[in-house]
Amino acid sequence: MPKDDGIGASTKRREDTRFLTGNGKYTDDINLRGQTHVHFLRSDVAHGRIKGIDSSAAEAMDGVLRVFTAADFDSAGGIPCGWQVTDKHGQAMQEPKHPILAEGKVRHVGDPICAVVAETYAQARDAAEAIEVDIEELEPVIDMKAALGADAPKVHDDLTSNLCYDWGFVEENKDAVNAAFDSAAHVVSLELTNNRLVANPMEPRVAVGDYDPWGDSHTLYTTSQNPHVIRLLMGAFVLNIPEHKLRVVAPDVGGGFGSKIYHYAEEAFCTHAAKVLKRPVKWTSSRSEAFISDAHGRDHKTKIELALDADHNFTALRTETYANMGAYLSTFAPSIPTWLHGTLMAGNYKTPLIYVNVKAVFTNTVPVDAYRGAGRPEATFQIERLVDKAARELGVDPIELRRKNFIKPEEFPYQTPVAVVYDTGNYHATMDKMLELSDYAGFEARRAESAKHGKLRGFGIAHYIEACGIAPSNLVGQLGARAGLYESASVRVNATGSISVYTGSHSHGQGHETTFAQVVADMIGVDANSIEIHHGDTSNTPMGMGTYGSRSLAVGGSAIVKATNKVIDKAKKIAAHLLEAAPEDIELKDGKFSVAGTDKSVDWSGVTLAAYVPHNYPLEELEPGLEETAFYDPSNFTYPSGAYGCEIELDPETGKIDILRFIAADDFGNIVNPMIVEGQVHGGLAQGIGQALLENCVYDDQGQLLSGSYMDYTMPRADDMRGFTVDHSCVTPCTHNPLGVKGCGEAGAIGSPPAVVNAAIDALHRAGHTHVTHIDMPLTPSRVWAAING
Amino acid sequence: MYNFDFVKPGSVADAVAALAGEDAQPLSGGQTLIPSMKARLNAPETLVSLTGIPDLVGVCREGDALVIGAATTHAQVARDAAADFPGLAALAGQIGDPAVRNRGTIGGSLANNDPSACYPAAALGTGATIVTDRREIGADDYFQGMFATSLEEGEIITSVRLPIPQASAYAKFVQPASRFALTAAFVARYASGVRVAITGASENGVFRWAEAEAALSSDFRADAISGLSASAHEMIADLHGTAAYRAHLVGVMTRRAVAAAG
């Protein structure tokens, strides 16, 4: 096996050549003959009743082909939600219709009202300004708690209230949890906000719909993390197009971070309008439009409490969270604050009793759904901030308090009280590794040096657990998922031995084209350059449920392993025939088949050629050819974990925080490409630090987005990030997937926010500002200064 | 962006003539005007580019002053003013990012008078003279509040004459998203006294901090103003900082500018 491109090698990303030279092919690069352009006229008020739409002037303008309104979608379904949550009373969540274009009411700034299709984009946009929409403004609901008031205006008139669901987990444990609090030696509590974020992938969303009247077939090119899911949702639930008549292509996609998982109205619009107009219809989002139409992330308000006994063992945890759904239910929105959040509330600890309550609330804001980490950052932030606060209140070392309550290495597999079973982990090892790499022992000297310059230095820690590799289909089905969560792959070996792998998993920055090839190269022992990875087109790849939740290698990679093993099994039978030996005696090593204990061998291409030129071939027993497909449905989640350390300097005069060092010691299980893993952690840290210090999506009380551009929404920049040390040498392999991998894509965004905030609180306390027990993210200079002087 | 006509005159006189047309606007570096046109918030019939007029570009020393052509980019000022007026060069070098500095101009910045822009602090902090196609305006008379100046309709800034101080520095605390000044102080020391101009903080745009000027004129040390605090009255309050925070930063940034000026 070539050492330089198998499992464990830091092979350079093959896709980067085209990306870095500007030769990627993105959706906006696709321009079809006869293409038209759509501009969506979007609501500029948060809540209103549509009294009338007069588009006659617009329709008469140059180049305008048609103005669409909700009436044009009478026969279409609404944008579906992919997950039904059952509330604590056993009732299904309230699920409003999400029309493609607003029906009767607008429910958030950015809600599309009309769509103008014209020969050019400029013509469409000009015409949209000539449309007169008569809107009766209604009082909006923006604040979640106010939205649940008895007299609050309703976002959806046909629902009983703005409460989507009131979820209790585990509801049966509630009384026992409360009893544990009543008898606790110590109770620590914290109220906090997990700030709303806008994903802001570098490439805004784009959709191009195309229709072939001769075949009555549709093609949608779209910026998606999961083209198969879009085909299923849009075809089956929205436009009533059977799969064999609908092709969805997600070519190169410039980042998603969750925001490109969901099926969006613009995709259904372009697909449908292309059929109506019999011409391709293209939509390219502007950045301004992205802020008010891409699903947002996070936006939780939580009260969390921890009970401890006299020896500082955690005895119970309970939380009450308000989770913002926005105006409509985005594809996976209901699952984020529940099954991707409540099930992680044990963290790394042996807390025996846990009760999580989540109230999901409709407001007149953009829909909220998964964003890198999705539910797990919210859980981790609560737990790790609270444990830090507990250590401070009890006067004990935050590291020791964590260690005391960690699940011990010998206690795996570990059944938590919140349903999930952690298969492996060693939290003591990752904590030790982080402290070693951070030179924790030298902190005091560095702090004294900072103090000489008037700066407050602090060190914050956090330890996280996440559930990745989602997920066992039968389990998620019980939890309300309306889809399975397997992956699949086809491995097509060509006659001369080169290999084309077709995966259902999409790559939009993760480097699959490199790592998946490394896996196959390693298994067979051939050069990775003889392997091509194909993804993103439903017409030539097998079914895939999507790239999110750090699941592509753990689930999609496992499907590739399964398919490759099938290929190897068959190839061994062919080799056995060629070598006149029994298949069980055939060994495959470094791309060569040999008969055990002999010098008889045939190389890989000898076998593959025989498969396609079957002159000397056991045709009565084996089909010609060498191509196999496999589906993989995981038996459990994977549980990456890690210890994060953040060292900051805080300027007490201005409140500005500078990250000086950030140490991430992760246990991702086995690693295929360490360089790519390091890059994934860097990206996750950038977004986690962004959430902690910089990013904030803010609405005013009328539902106007105050942070609607980069003038006010602070994206992390390179000079905000310094001193990253990333380690993944602590390895406890996953026990239930063939690669022993756990996933690394979200870790940085999950573990870093509490580490940053803990560091800030640490710096303030060491300097005597002990009245500051919490600051809500983002810790902007203004907020930090106000906290110090408050 | 809506359609517009574009003219690029070669002389100030031609530019002034072109600006007399219906709904014409001057375009210098375009760092504010172009984005606002792209957002359809501004729709001039005609754009009159000022970047094709050689007389409007350049940095040169005239006696005790530095004269900068109005269409000189921030990048050129950062480079060409460094020897004669390092405090100004440093200010120019902190504006925006390299792309902004290579397009944006001093005249454009002063004509726009964004309350968070950097150049107004330098102009007011030096008591600069704004030279236009028809007159000269002292900085104390030029700035008329947020986005307001004493320029008349169609009047073009041709150059800015900044008296070179004995010592100066600009201390800028950036708004995290835009990296405009959340609050910034330009401090300049002259034989006649010290001038302190604050940008980013006030609802009335750039202003002179008289109390600090008085204290620093008699004792040019940061400690000399440690007891002074600016009033939060009419300070900007937004997502990025309260009025009280900005008022506090006025003191912090002024002291840091004094310390940097030495």
Side-chain angles (χ1 to χ4, degrees):
Chain A
M1 197 278 298
K3 255 175 146 176
D4 57 350
D5 57 8
I7 291 175
S10 285
T11 306
K12 284 188 179 172
R13 300 198 336 161
R14 54 174 65 175
E15 44 271 80
D16 284 349
T17 307
R18 69 176 191 274
F19 294 153
L20 296 176
T21 56
N23 288 294
K25 187 167 189 184
Y26 296 91
T27 309
D28 193 50
D29 294 321
I30 294 169
N31 292 296
L32 304 176
R33 186 190 301 176
Q35 176 175 284
T36 65
H37 299 265
V38 60
H39 177 75
F40 291 95
L41 177 62
R42 296 179 184 276
S43 178
D44 57 8
V45 299
H47 196 192
R49 201 172 303 286
I50 302 171
K51 312 276 278 187
I53 299 171
D54 181 357
S55 60
S56 53
E59 284 174 274
M61 287 172 69
D62 281 352
V64 174
L65 298 167
R66 181 158 174 164
V67 177
F68 291 80
T69 64
D72 293 293
F73 291 89
D74 278 348
S75 61
I79 303 297
C81 179
W83 203 300
Q84 177 181 294
V85 166
T86 303
D87 75 6
K88 65 184 184 184
H89 307 297
Q91 301 296 308
M93 66 187 189
Q94 294 206 82
E95 190 170 356
K97 184 178 181 186
H98 184 180
I100 294 169
L101 295 171
E103 287 177 0
K105 274 177 80 171
V106 290
R107 297 185 175 86
H108 65 86
V109 170
D111 209 359
I113 303 168
C114 309
V116 184
V117 181
E119 298 287 348
T120 70
Y121 176 70
Q123 288 170 334
R125 193 168 174 188
D126 285 345
E129 292 183 1
I131 297 173
E132 289 184 23
V133 183
D134 180 10
I135 289 187
E136 173 197 349
E137 279 196 56
L138 301 171
E139 185 187 343
V141 283
I142 308 302
D143 177 77
M144 284 191 277
K145 291 183 184 174
L148 297 183
D151 301 328
K154 286 197 288 186
V155 178
H156 296 276
D157 300 347
D158 52 336
L159 302 187
T160 58
S161 70
N162 293 317
L163 181 67
C164 177
Y165 55 73
D166 186 351
W167 185 76
F169 184 66
V170 176
E171 192 62 25
E172 292 72 27
N173 292 348
K174 185 177 177 181
D175 292 342
V177 169
N178 289 339
F181 272 90
D182 291 342
S183 62
H186 308 281
V187 173
V188 184
S189 69
L190 182 60
E191 290 190 40
L192 49 82
T193 296
N194 204 288
N195 41 324
R196 180 185 274 242
L197 303 174
V198 183
N200 279 304
M202 192 179 290
E203 177 205 28
R205 287 190 297 122
V206 183
V208 186
D210 191 22
Y211 177 69
D212 172 11
W214 313 112
D216 187 29
S217 62
H218 301 257
T219 302
L220 170 68
Y221 302 91
T222 183
T223 48
S224 177
Q225 298 177 218
N226 29 247
H228 284 279
V229 174
I230 302 306
R231 183 178 66 158
L232 177 65
L233 293 177
M234 185 176 77
F237 298 101
V238 186
L239 298 178
N240 194 24
I241 305 169
E243 286 100 321
H244 69 296
K245 294 291 188 185
L246 176 58
R247 175 185 172 209
V248 177
V249 184
D252 284 333
V253 172
F257 313 111
S259 72
K260 291 173 181 168
I261 297 171
Y262 325 117
H263 175 41
Y264 285 100
E266 294 88 353
E267 295 172 318
F269 177 85
C270 290
T271 306
H272 178 72
K275 181 176 183 179
V276 172
L277 297 169
K278 302 219 169 12
R279 290 177 63 181
V281 178
K282 182 175 192 173
W283 171 69
T284 300
S285 174
S286 68
R287 184 62 65 184
S288 305
E289 214 173 357
F291 270 100
I292 55 170
S293 67
D294 290 4
H296 294 171
R298 313 280 194 262
D299 204 353
H300 287 192
K301 286 192 185 304
T302 294
K303 180 180 184 188
I304 181 168
E305 299 167 285
L306 177 68
L308 303 93
D309 68 16
D311 293 330
H312 300 164
N313 295 303
F314 301 167
T315 57
L317 185 83
R318 69 183 170 200
T319 72
E320 181 184 29
T321 286
Y322 292 80
N324 206 333
M325 294 287 103
Y328 304 100
L329 290 179
S330 177
T331 307
F332 285 134
S335 69
I336 309 307
T338 51
W339 301 111
L340 290 175
H341 164 254
T343 52
L344 275 303
M345 288 307 299
N348 304 95
Y349 309 108
K350 292 189 290 183
T351 316
L353 287 163
I354 296 174
Y355 179 71
V356 179
N357 174 248
V358 178
K359 297 172 181 71
V361 185
F362 294 110
T363 60
N364 290 113
T365 63
V366 167
V368 180
D369 206 327
Y371 167 75
R372 201 170 193 164
R376 292 150 292 172
E378 295 90 320
T380 302
F381 186 70
Q382 295 167 44
I383 298 166
E384 291 301 298
R385 279 291 301 121
L386 186 63
V387 170
D388 232 58
K389 186 163 185 268
R392 214 169 289 290
E393 290 185 10
L394 298 170
V396 299
D397 177 10
I399 298 165
E400 291 312 312
L401 183 63
R402 285 178 170 87
R403 280 199 177 118
K404 182 183 184 69
N405 286 280
F406 273 165
I407 299 159
K408 294 185 171 54
E410 62 273 19
E411 291 173 322
F412 293 92
Y414 185 83
Q415 171 70 59
T416 72
V418 275
V420 293
V421 180
Y422 301 161
D423 60 342
T424 55
N426 186 340
Y427 311 144
H428 295 269
T430 40
M431 181 67 92
D432 290 346
K433 175 59 72 175
M434 183 276 287
L435 292 172
E436 171 202 327
L437 293 172
S438 60
D439 184 21
Y440 188 57
F443 172 77
E444 197 49 48
R446 296 193 294 275
R447 192 181 80 85
E449 190 61 31
S450 293
K452 284 185 194 165
H453 304 105
K455 300 286 179 64
L456 315 183
R457 194 178 274 245
F459 188 79
I461 55 174
H463 209 289
Y464 75 88
I465 182 81
E466 55 170 328
C468 298
I470 56 174
S473 293
N474 53 5
L475 173 62
V476 297
Q478 290 167 25
L479 304 182
R482 289 163 170 164
L485 284 168
Y486 50 83
E487 285 298 321
S488 67
S490 294
V491 175
R492 178 182 297 166
V493 182
N494 303 305
T496 61
S498 67
I499 302 167
S500 305
V501 176
Y502 298 85
T503 168
S505 304
H506 189 269
S507 184
H508 37 276
Q510 294 82 359
H512 295 173
E513 293 170 35
T514 303
T515 45
F516 287 179
Q518 285 179 257
V519 170
V520 177
D522 196 278
M523 291 178 70
I524 298 175
V526 295
D527 185 343
N529 290 319
S530 69
I531 301 164
E532 193 75 9
I533 307 297
H534 299 269
H535 64 91
D537 185 342
T538 61
S539 71
N540 64 18
T541 59
M543 185 75 173
M545 295 312 296
T547 293
Y548 43 79
S550 305
R551 68 191 297 273
S552 283
L553 186 60
V555 187
S558 295
I560 291 173
V561 170
K562 278 185 75 178
T564 304
N565 274 327
K566 287 185 184 179
V567 162
I568 291 171
D569 285 347
K570 185 175 178 184
K572 281 184 175 176
K573 289 177 185 166
I574 300 168
H577 175 84
L578 296 174
L579 297 170
E580 298 178 331
E584 53 271 25
D585 291 334
I586 300 295
E587 292 175 347
L588 171 62
K589 189 162 185 283
D590 295 343
K592 181 180 281 190
F593 297 91
S594 54
V595 182
T598 75
D599 60 357
K600 292 204 295 182
S601 69
V602 57
D603 66 17
W604 172 251
S605 60
V607 169
T608 62
L609 193 64
Y612 287 93
V613 188
H615 296 165
N616 175 18
Y617 195 87
L619 287 167
E620 61 284 2
E621 295 164 28
L622 279 182
E623 296 170 11
L626 194 52
E627 174 171 348
E628 298 289 348
T629 293
F631 281 66
Y632 176 81
D633 201 291
S635 61
N636 192 357
F637 294 86
T638 62
Y639 299 95
S641 60
Y644 283 11
C646 175
E647 193 163 320
I648 61 137
E649 230 176 32
L650 189 157
D651 180 344
E653 278 198 316
T654 63
K656 181 156 190 332
I657 291 170
D658 286 319
I659 306 260
L660 301 182
R661 300 162 164 231
F662 203 103
I663 297 89
D666 294 291
D667 175 0
F668 294 135
N670 294 333
I671 302 279
V672 172
N673 185 316
M675 181 195 70
I676 289 180
V677 168
E678 187 166 347
Q680 286 286 316
V681 176
H682 279 205
L685 291 178
Q687 288 183 299
I689 291 169
Q691 171 166 30
L693 296 181
L694 303 166
E695 299 183 51
N696 203 18
C697 177
V698 184
Y699 283 95
D700 71 8
D701 59 5
Q702 291 304 300
Q704 294 294 331
L705 187 58
L706 297 178
S707 53
S709 80
Y710 293 150
M711 291 299 280
D712 288 299
Y713 188 90
T714 312
M715 288 297 285
R717 290 176 233 199
D719 62 359
D720 295 314
M721 310 292 149
R722 277 188 259 182
F724 288 0
T725 301
V726 174
D727 179 271
H728 27 77
S729 63
C730 298
V731 174
T732 61
C734 171
T735 57
H736 54 81
N737 67 44
L739 291 165
V741 297
K742 295 184 174 182
C744 67
E746 298 159 294
I750 293 170
S752 58
V756 174
V757 179
N758 288 343
I761 301 297
D762 182 65
L764 293 173
H765 277 249
R766 287 176 192 269
H769 301 291
T770 52
H771 66 288
V772 184
T773 56
H774 180 70
I775 306 173
D776 268 327
M777 300 187 293
L779 272 66
T780 59
S782 175
R783 284 186 178 181
V784 172
W785 177 81
I788 294 172
N789 295 284
Chain B
M1 192 179 281
Y2 299 99
N3 287 337
F4 57 88
D5 291 325
F6 181 79
V7 295
K8 193 170 182 180
S11 72
V12 172
D14 288 348
V16 171
L19 282 168
E22 182 78 7
D23 202 11
Q25 283 190 37
L27 173 72
S28 190
Q31 298 304 290
T32 301
L33 181 54
I34 299 295
S36 69
M37 288 172 65
K38 286 168 77 174
R40 298 193 161 199
L41 300 172
N42 200 329
E45 292 280 327
T46 304
L47 279 186
V48 180
S49 172
L50 304 179
T51 57
I53 305 171
D55 293 350
L56 295 188
V57 179
V59 177
C60 70
R61 182 163 185 153
E62 291 181 8
D64 292 334
L66 202 64
V67 179
I68 301 175
T72 310
T73 64
H74 312 324
Q76 187 176 348
V77 173
R79 192 171 60 241
D80 293 352
D84 290 311
F85 194 164
L88 180 72
L91 175 146
Q94 291 177 54
I95 299 172
D97 56 23
V100 169
R101 291 194 289 274
N102 281 305
R103 290 293 306 172
T105 68
I106 187 170
S109 174
L110 292 174
N112 189 45
N113 192 22
D114 187 304
S116 301
C118 298
Y119 266 130
L124 191 62
T126 56
T129 300
I130 314 298
V131 182
T132 78
D133 61 288
R134 62 200 70 167
R135 59 182 169 147
E136 296 193 350
I137 312 169
D140 287 321
D141 300 323
Y142 175 81
F143 297 103
Q144 299 288 317
M146 194 180 274
F147 295 109
T149 70
S150 56
L151 288 176
E152 295 164 358
E153 198 67 30
E155 185 173 11
I156 299 172
I157 301 175
T158 54
S159 66
V160 185
R161 193 165 65 236
L162 304 103
I164 297 171
Q166 296 164 339
S168 69
Y170 181 59
K172 176 182 178 182
F173 194 80
V174 299
Q175 193 258 54
S178 70
R179 297 200 175 176
F180 274 68
L182 187 74
T183 293
F186 188 88
V187 172
R189 181 185 191 187
Y190 296 93
S192 57
V194 173
R195 290 176 71 104
V196 176
I198 306 294
T199 188
S202 170
E203 290 176 352
N204 300 314
V206 66
F207 70 94
R208 286 174 67 185
W209 189 16
E211 295 91 332
E213 289 184 351
L216 291 168
S217 293
S218 55
D219 181 4
F220 193 68
R221 291 182 308 119
D223 285 349
I225 53 169
S226 57
L228 288 183
S229 59
S231 165
H233 180 63
E234 295 187 339
M235 289 288 175
I236 296 169
D238 61 14
L239 280 184
H240 307 286
T242 59
Y245 180 60
R246 281 185 166 84
H248 166 75
L249 284 181
V250 168
V252 174
M253 290 299 120
T254 304
R255 288 196 297 276
R256 290 184 182 184
V258 172

